[in-house]
Amino acid sequence: MSPIPSAAQTARITPAATPPELLRNFCIIAHIDHGKSTLADRMLQLTGVVDDRAMRAQYLDRMEIERERGITIKSQAVRMPWAVVDPAGVTSAYALNMIDTPGHVDFTYEVSRSLAACEGAVLLVDAAQGIEAQTLANLYLAMEQDLHIIPVLNKIDLPAAQPERYAEELAGLVGGDPDDVMRVSGKTGEGVAALLDRIVAEVPHPVGDPDAAARAMIFDSVYDTYRGVVTYVRVVDGHLSPRERILMMSTRATHELLEIGVIAPEPNPTQGLGVGEVGYLITGVKDVRHSKVGDTVTNQSKPAAAALAEYQDPKPMVFSGLYPIDGSDYPDLRDALDKLKLNDAALAYEPETSVALGFGFRVGFLGLLHMEIVRERLEREFDLDLISTAPNVVYTVTMEDRTVATVTNPSEFPGGRISEVREPVVRATILAPSEYIGAIMELCQQRRGDLLGMDYLSPERVEMRYMLPLAEIVFDFFDQLKSRTKGYASLDYEQAGDQVADLVKVDILLQGEQVDAFSAIVHKDKAYAYGVMMATKLKELIPRQQFEVPIQAAVGARVIARETVRALRKDVLAKCYGGDITRKRKLLEKQKEGKKRMKTIGRVDVPQEAFIAALSTGAEGEKKK
């Protein structure tokens, strides 16, 4: 979100709180690339909060990375006025609080937090593509929150659109008549005014006690360099006013409320926020730990008796090490992660050290795209140069003496007699045209998947449910799925506990010494392939030494692959212009003895570039090319 201007900079001051009966809080949910942000653009124009001169495509996508990739990463809240004339001719001015949400599976946590701040949801489906995996996932999230759902078909202006066919699918999904499914075009604006009218008519207004002690839920925050932490809240009970002291109920921290206002879509200071309103608070606090997403804000003088139910903390699915290329940047990386966590509550991290890479952090992500975005934001917004290690998941190892170890990094894998290793599994939902069933089954079987069930949504579209190990899908599963189905398949997954698996730790040895940074935990059947791949890769990356360097991959004490970096040979005969052969032989024998001695005491010189190239994720490798 853009930096918050001061009260002096903002000419327009919005009056005091709007009555709850004239408020409507809703969000737009959909699969990625179904046109949420474009529909939000038309709503902003139609309600007049953004004029044509200031308008740009994907107006609410504030980050440069969002605009480049054409995806929404952060939910954005905006307040819009909308007047409705009733049958008696009386005009009522409503305030609509809209939240534009991300569509990718990695940002489901953003969607769930947005749903908690709303009473209604617009379920958007592309009229040319139909229902996809994340459509279902987001619909179930909205149903769990007991929101009123308005089904809408978008992109009806496309030549490939099939509104009648997909309206039937959508009506069957949400329960209702195909005629109840609205048809709109975010691009041309067709049907958007009717949709806003329907939101006013059908979405229930917020309910709360205006006379009770103030309670407001923090659903997002952002760090502003000049004004400190900016907190986004939804007021549930009571009233918040500027210049009063507020209390954060989980941290017990108290602050003076310097400014309070609404986003419309630029920040507008107001004289307070009442029941059901969505807005922002500025206290001037610079410590990012004082504003926790899911916390309850109340008045210090008249505090609420009980806090609102907190959000459930998301569990990281993928772990990767992040290290600064320059070791002196470590404090900057720590500060950057603190500030980014304020803006991305799903981020989890802890310090770790590596013999090869120095000081860094073990960071937990919700998925590969989340990992890619976080790393790119750290590099762009905080000007850091980072190395990220290959992603891995959390394993639980039980020893024969019944002790249990939790492993987030291959170097933590215990030695000795192991009773069992458990790995996390996910329940994956794949939606695709029925002609690709064979290709999808083959891919899932290669990744140790178990078919749970299969349903035909229509004669041409099928929904397949698989149980898959998380480790098998975090790297390139989605890319493989897309390429095998010509881009038509969509994937959604959720955690489904763990299972016992035949996993082993593959160690990489250089000159007989184990290098922890290159170790990996893999399935027994894939250990040989990983060992050969790493040994071959390192043979190309490690420069030749004065002595021969053996590179070995081993499982326990058994070597499963080997490559050798040949020794450099100094030309000791260069100074011999001729003469007796015995003179040359004497020099060669002397060199041979020296090589033998070097081999026993020599240490392998591995440049940092080799570590970076061997440990980098695929995306980083591509960048270096």
Side-chain angles (χ1 to χ4, degrees):
M1 296 192 184
S2 59
I4 306 295
S6 66
Q9 291 171 311
T10 310
R12 187 170 44 157
I13 298 287
T14 310
T18 306
E21 296 75 28
L22 296 177
L23 284 174
R24 297 292 183 271
N25 298 328
F26 72 97
C27 60
I28 307 174
I29 54 175
H31 187 83
I32 192 166
D33 203 28
H34 277 213
K36 295 177 298 298
S37 298
T38 310
L39 179 63
D41 287 350
R42 295 295 79 76
M43 288 181 172
L44 294 177
Q45 276 187 300
L46 203 58
T47 53
V49 293
V50 179
D51 58 30
D52 292 342
R53 188 179 61 173
M55 193 65 206
R56 63 174 193 269
Q58 281 81 48
Y59 188 87
L60 294 178
D61 289 347
R62 302 297 174 89
M63 276 187 272
E64 190 184 326
I65 189 169
E66 288 181 311
R67 308 185 67 75
E68 273 177 24
R69 290 171 175 252
I71 58 172
T72 301
I73 295 165
K74 283 292 300 170
S75 296
Q76 301 286 357
V78 61
R79 182 183 174 114
M80 307 178 295
W82 187 245
V84 175
V85 182
D86 65 15
V90 179
T91 303
S92 302
Y94 288 86
L96 310 181
N97 287 316
M98 174 190 69
I99 301 178
D100 177 26
T101 65
H104 195 279
V105 60
D106 282 11
F107 303 110
T108 303
Y109 183 59
E110 283 282 323
V111 181
S112 66
R113 296 207 324 265
S114 303
L115 292 170
C118 298
E119 281 79 33
V122 172
L123 180 67
L124 205 62
V125 171
D126 187 329
Q129 295 181 63
I131 295 162
E132 297 199 58
Q134 200 61 22
T135 313
L136 295 172
N138 287 337
L139 171 65
Y140 298 147
L141 279 175
M143 284 176 162
E144 279 171 29
Q145 300 271 6
D146 203 22
L147 301 190
H148 180 82
I149 293 153
I150 300 174
V152 178
L153 280 176
N154 190 23
K155 304 190 185 182
I156 57 168
D157 56 306
L158 290 182
Q162 297 174 278
E164 303 310 319
R165 173 186 162 191
Y166 293 127
E168 222 164 289
E169 266 188 32
L170 194 48
L173 185 65
V174 298
D177 196 82
D179 295 336
D180 293 336
V181 177
M182 297 205 66
R183 291 146 173 85
V184 304
S185 168
K187 187 177 176 183
T188 65
E190 182 186 342
V192 178
L195 174 58
L196 290 171
D197 286 341
R198 185 162 167 187
I199 288 165
V200 167
E202 294 186 8
V203 173
H205 65 76
V207 178
D209 184 353
D211 301 319
R215 289 196 305 172
M217 170 72 85
I218 299 176
F219 68 88
D220 207 356
S221 332
V222 67
Y223 187 82
D224 182 81
T225 314
Y226 304 103
R227 314 202 68 193
V229 177
V230 180
T231 306
Y232 295 93
V233 297
R234 149 80 196 260
V235 180
V236 176
D237 291 322
H239 186 274
L240 289 173
S241 306
R243 293 297 166 188
E244 67 182 358
R245 288 199 73 79
I246 56 169
L247 170 73
M248 305 292 186
M249 293 189 78
S250 74
T251 61
R252 310 307 297 174
T254 62
H255 313 289
E256 186 183 356
L257 204 48
L258 301 179
E259 185 175 308
I260 188 166
V262 296
I263 313 289
E266 302 308 324
N268 283 335
T270 68
Q271 291 160 19
L273 293 176
V275 171
E277 289 199 285
V278 174
Y280 68 90
L281 313 175
I282 295 178
T283 56
V285 174
K286 297 281 184 180
D287 189 343
V288 296
R289 287 163 297 197
H290 285 176
S291 183
K292 182 171 172 276
V293 168
D295 199 357
T296 304
V297 178
T298 187
N299 300 107
Q300 187 188 0
S301 57
K302 187 188 169 186
L308 298 161
E310 286 198 5
Y311 296 122
Q312 220 174 351
D313 280 337
K315 289 189 177 72
M317 306 275 268
V318 179
F319 285 85
S320 175
L322 280 183
Y323 296 87
I325 287 178
D326 182 352
S328 62
D329 285 341
Y330 175 76
D332 297 337
L333 175 59
R334 185 182 55 223
D335 293 344
L337 282 166
D338 280 345
K339 286 174 183 173
L340 198 60
K341 182 166 175 63
L342 184 74
N343 197 233
D344 183 354
L347 201 61
Y349 55 92
E350 58 185 38
E352 76 166 1
T353 54
S354 158
V355 177
L357 303 171
F359 290 99
F361 288 90
R362 190 101 195 126
V363 188
F365 305 97
L366 299 185
L368 273 193
L369 179 67
H370 187 216
M371 179 177 121
E372 213 179 303
I373 296 293
V374 166
R375 192 189 139 175
E376 208 164 322
R377 286 186 69 184
L378 286 168
E379 289 184 339
R380 286 186 186 202
E381 295 173 24
F382 302 97
D383 200 23
L384 295 165
D385 290 320
L386 302 173
I387 306 165
S388 58
T389 61
N392 53 53
V393 299
V394 186
Y395 301 98
T396 307
V397 182
T398 307
M399 310 300 288
E400 284 195 349
D401 62 2
R402 310 316 297 163
T403 57
V404 178
T406 302
V407 177
T408 61
N409 191 340
S411 62
E412 297 168 1
F413 199 84
R417 290 185 169 275
I418 291 170
S419 169
E420 67 173 26
V421 182
R422 300 187 76 85
E423 64 175 350
V425 290
V426 294
R427 189 179 287 106
T429 305
I430 300 168
L431 269 71
S434 46
E435 65 199 86
Y436 298 113
I437 288 174
I440 294 168
M441 282 184 163
E442 185 189 357
L443 174 66
C444 292
Q445 280 162 8
Q446 285 173 4
R447 301 303 177 100
R448 301 188 281 129
D450 293 322
L451 182 64
L452 300 177
M454 190 165 76
D455 291 317
Y456 281 86
L457 298 175
S458 70
E460 298 87 28
R461 286 167 68 76
V462 67
E463 176 190 331
M464 301 169 77
R465 294 177 299 282
Y466 266 92
M467 193 69 81
L468 285 157
L470 180 59
E472 295 285 350
I473 71 167
V474 295
F475 210 63
D476 63 345
F477 179 80
F478 189 58
D479 293 344
Q480 288 288 326
L481 181 67
K482 282 288 187 187
S483 63
R484 290 184 187 218
T485 60
K486 298 181 182 171
Y488 285 109
S490 58
L491 170 74
D492 178 53
Y493 57 85
E494 61 181 0
Q495 282 177 294
D498 55 15
Q499 68 179 16
V500 176
D502 196 359
L503 301 172
V504 292
K505 179 188 175 192
V506 180
D507 290 316
I508 302 296
L509 311 173
L510 294 181
Q511 191 77 2
E513 283 186 33
Q514 187 182 316
V515 185
D516 271 349
F518 297 138
S519 300
I521 299 165
V522 295
H523 192 264
K524 198 174 183 180
D525 296 345
K526 296 187 178 179
Y528 174 73
Y530 176 80
V532 170
M533 182 270 291
M534 276 308 278
T536 310
K537 204 173 182 182
L538 288 171
K539 183 186 176 184
E540 294 168 10
L541 294 169
I542 293 175
R544 291 169 70 186
Q545 320 280 317
Q546 289 287 339
F547 49 90
E548 199 174 77
V549 178
I551 302 167
Q552 296 167 305
V555 174
R558 186 165 61 90
V559 174
I560 57 171
R562 174 180 170 133
E563 292 283 352
T564 305
V565 179
R566 307 305 304 177
L568 275 173
R569 181 175 176 274
K570 184 182 176 185
D571 189 0
V572 291
L573 304 180
K575 60 187 176 185
C576 292
Y577 296 103
D580 189 24
I581 186 67
T582 54
R583 189 162 166 237
K584 292 183 181 179
R585 194 169 290 141
K586 183 181 169 189
L587 287 169
L588 289 170
E589 287 297 323
K590 190 178 176 185
Q591 183 187 43
K592 195 173 171 185
E593 286 299 313
K595 290 272 186 200
K596 210 177 281 182
R597 194 166 62 252
M598 282 183 80
K599 196 169 179 182
T600 57
I601 63 167
R603 290 182 62 83
V604 184
D605 174 32
V606 184
Q608 193 178 32
E609 291 73 34
F611 277 104
I612 295 169
L615 295 172
S616 294
T617 56
E620 195 173 340
E622 289 300 314
K623 208 182 283 181
K624 290 197 180 340
K625 285 176 195 171

